[in-house]
Amino acid sequence: MRGGSKIVAAAAVAGLTAAGCGAAGSAQAAAHEVAAGVPKRTNNRTARVYLVHGVSTKGDNDCASTWRAALWSLKRDGWKGALYTVGYYKADRHCGVPVPGRSRYTPNTSIKELGRAFAWLVYDRDTRYGRSVDVVGHSMGGLVVRAALTGVQKHQKGFPSRLYIANVATLDSPHAGRLHMSCTSLECRQMRGKDGGALLRWLGQNPQSTQGTDWTLIGSDADTKVPTSSALGMKAGHKVRYSAEEHLSHGGVALRPDPSHPARQGYHLWYRNSTRPGTHETKDGWAPLHMVEQALYFWQKW
């Protein structure tokens, strides 16, 4: 799943700111801006990675629990860059870094606002220093990242002027607005398009950062909350659909492999990529989190 016949063959064997942050953030950034061009995109395991969790009906996500398996898997796969779990609700727990303005955010904060706050987090910590990062989003977290890149690409007021995000991988994110959850918060209504479809119309199809962004969308037929048609419902260079027989629930895609289920491959899945036309099936595919590692490692085609 990579450009060039040699890499494709190898992949086949493997199985395959918030409001208020705008003005203050801009002034702060201006004082620390580096005189550097757009960073070069390369295949590497040294980039910083931000992991963005999904919706919490009580607004109190536990990042340590959500991302335990992902942190373990990325490190086992040899990831050398720093890994940061992101907190955006005021009651989030055990998260590595908070978005600016987090103390104001609840499940009734708009996804666009969370995207703006996340954009400023990445800008202030990395982009203004000329540093590129990668991002992983689970469930609504994928829409938060999408909103961040959409706002920057559209030059929306209150968003930073640019971002350097090379790769994004989303796990069961409702890109197409189909979500089966019994929640009534603003964020849930937005994900379902019950805000009149305003957010879904605004979000870009395959939004790009200033250096370009390679997207990988991952979904599971066993997910009863976000159907695969929604998880894969955005234009992207890479799409992966896991068979229902793998029993990967909505949370399960963010938990395999883990120390209890350590196998990297042997999964029944279908995939599409930018190097080979059509949809391809394998019964020896990569585990979801190993697929994420591959998506973050390769900067363009895999």
Side-chain angles (χ1 to χ4, degrees):
M1 299 169 71
R2 173 81 169 100
S5 59
K6 182 178 179 180
I7 302 297
V8 170
V13 173
L16 273 169
T17 322
C21 287
S26 296
Q28 183 183 26
H32 296 86
E33 202 68 56
V34 296
V38 176
K40 184 179 180 180
R41 302 172 72 195
T42 60
N43 298 337
N44 71 82
R45 291 183 173 87
T46 60
R48 290 183 171 191
V49 179
Y50 290 94
L51 299 103
V52 186
H53 69 74
V55 68
S56 169
T57 56
K58 295 181 179 179
D60 61 349
N61 183 271
D62 185 338
C63 288
S65 175
T66 297
W67 295 115
R68 177 186 64 86
L71 296 172
W72 175 86
S73 182
L74 284 166
K75 291 176 182 177
R76 184 185 70 159
D77 283 345
W79 202 269
K80 302 301 183 185
L83 306 173
Y84 298 103
T85 58
V86 176
Y88 53 76
Y89 291 133
K90 64 181 179 180
D92 276 349
R93 294 165 289 142
H94 307 128
C95 299
V97 291
V99 299
R102 189 187 78 164
S103 62
R104 301 193 300 272
Y105 297 150
T106 72
N108 284 308
T109 301
S110 76
I111 294 171
K112 182 177 179 180
E113 177 73 5
L114 295 180
R116 178 165 59 176
F118 178 67
W120 278 108
L121 173 70
V122 173
Y123 184 90
D124 285 340
R125 288 172 55 89
D126 298 285
T127 298
R128 68 179 181 180
Y129 299 115
R131 185 165 49 230
S132 175
V133 303
D134 296 333
V135 184
V136 181
H138 175 241
S139 192
M140 190 185 80
L143 299 188
V144 172
V145 180
R146 189 175 165 191
L149 287 170
T150 296
V152 171
Q153 187 175 45
K154 290 185 175 183
H155 305 291
Q156 292 277 289
K157 183 178 180 181
F159 283 78
S161 60
R162 62 189 178 280
L163 284 178
Y164 298 146
I165 296 178
N167 302 293
V168 177
T170 66
L171 298 158
D172 281 343
S173 295
H175 290 291
R178 286 182 287 282
L179 174 72
H180 307 303
M181 289 180 64
S182 58
C183 57
T184 59
S185 66
L186 172 61
E187 292 163 359
C188 286
R189 297 199 304 273
Q190 288 181 317
M191 285 189 282
R192 292 193 186 101
K194 298 301 184 181
D195 60 340
L199 177 76
L200 294 173
R201 287 194 303 272
W202 176 79
L203 288 171
Q205 284 289 331
N206 195 251
Q208 298 290 295
S209 72
T210 311
Q211 68 174 158
T213 301
D214 193 40
W215 285 82
T216 296
L217 312 185
I218 298 172
S220 168
D221 285 349
D223 185 348
T224 59
K225 294 182 178 180
V226 177
T228 48
S229 59
S230 190
L232 308 183
M234 185 192 81
K235 293 179 180 178
H238 321 286
K239 298 185 179 185
V240 183
R241 170 190 159 205
Y242 285 89
S243 169
E245 70 190 55
E246 299 301 340
H247 305 293
L248 293 169
S249 64
H250 186 66
V253 292
L255 296 174
R256 295 287 182 92
D258 66 16
S260 301
H261 303 87
R264 287 189 176 95
Q265 60 191 80
Y267 288 76
H268 185 188
L269 59 85
W270 293 263
Y271 67 91
R272 297 176 62 90
N273 62 28
S274 54
T275 63
R276 300 174 64 197
T279 300
H280 309 281
E281 181 180 8
T282 177
K283 293 188 177 181
D284 193 26
W286 293 325
L289 294 177
H290 188 54
M291 191 75 72
V292 165
E293 192 276 339
Q294 299 298 308
L296 301 184
Y297 172 74
F298 291 116
W299 71 268
Q300 185 179 35
K301 298 176 180 178
W302 55 277

